[in-house]
Amino acid sequence: MSTDHGLSEPALDPAGAAGPAAPAAPPAPTGNPALLGLPAFLVGGIGLTLYLFGYLPAAAVGTLVPMTLLVSGLGLLVAGVWAIRIGQGAVGAIFTVFATFWLSYGYLVLSLVNDWLKIPAENASAAQGTFLIAWLAVFAVLTLATLRLPLAFTTLFALVTITVALVLVATLNGSTGLLTVAGITAALFCLTAVYIFVDGMTQELGGRARPMGSPLVR
């Protein structure tokens, strides 16, 4: 209904009194955070794999710092915030946990290379072991807590947990052979992440979903 001046009358509130119309709610954010989180995760994972296989020499381990801090850490952190903003709390928690792992790992490498923490050489293995034990516990709990997810995700988390366990044992015992085995499991979790990423991108572009496997717990 319009007035004689051609202007619309103000909207009426439920009580019948004139009042301004309520502003339209902004559209809810959408998207798939995994399309950012998984490639960011892969950069650090591939770098770690090459180091464990011995392709990246120990003297050049500082190369992992920009890969883990600036790519994996920050990329996963952004993906985690994105997931939380669109109401995917579990996904946001998973991405954020992995973000803090890569950030702390990058900082640890940077600290050891530059001797920022002033850790005596004879205590270096124990220091790295403490770091790995703490994260091993976190990844083991994360794996158990997400058994309701499709099998591909459980496989990814389990392989990460196994890799950390192998690196822990190798670090405490000085075993290069176990580091190579850890490199194999790291390569496997990278391949699993690639599979999940390709599935997400395929669906985003209108393709069919790939089989992810049934959850172990329903």
Side-chain angles (χ1 to χ4, degrees), residues 167-186:
V167 173
L168 170 62
V169 176
T171 299
L172 296 179
N173 293 280
S175 172
T176 56
L178 276 178
L179 286 180
T180 302
V181 177
I184 295 173
T185 58

Side-chain angles (χ1 to χ4, degrees), residues 5-27:
H5 298 287
L7 300 176
S8 298
E9 291 183 350
L12 298 179
D13 63 18

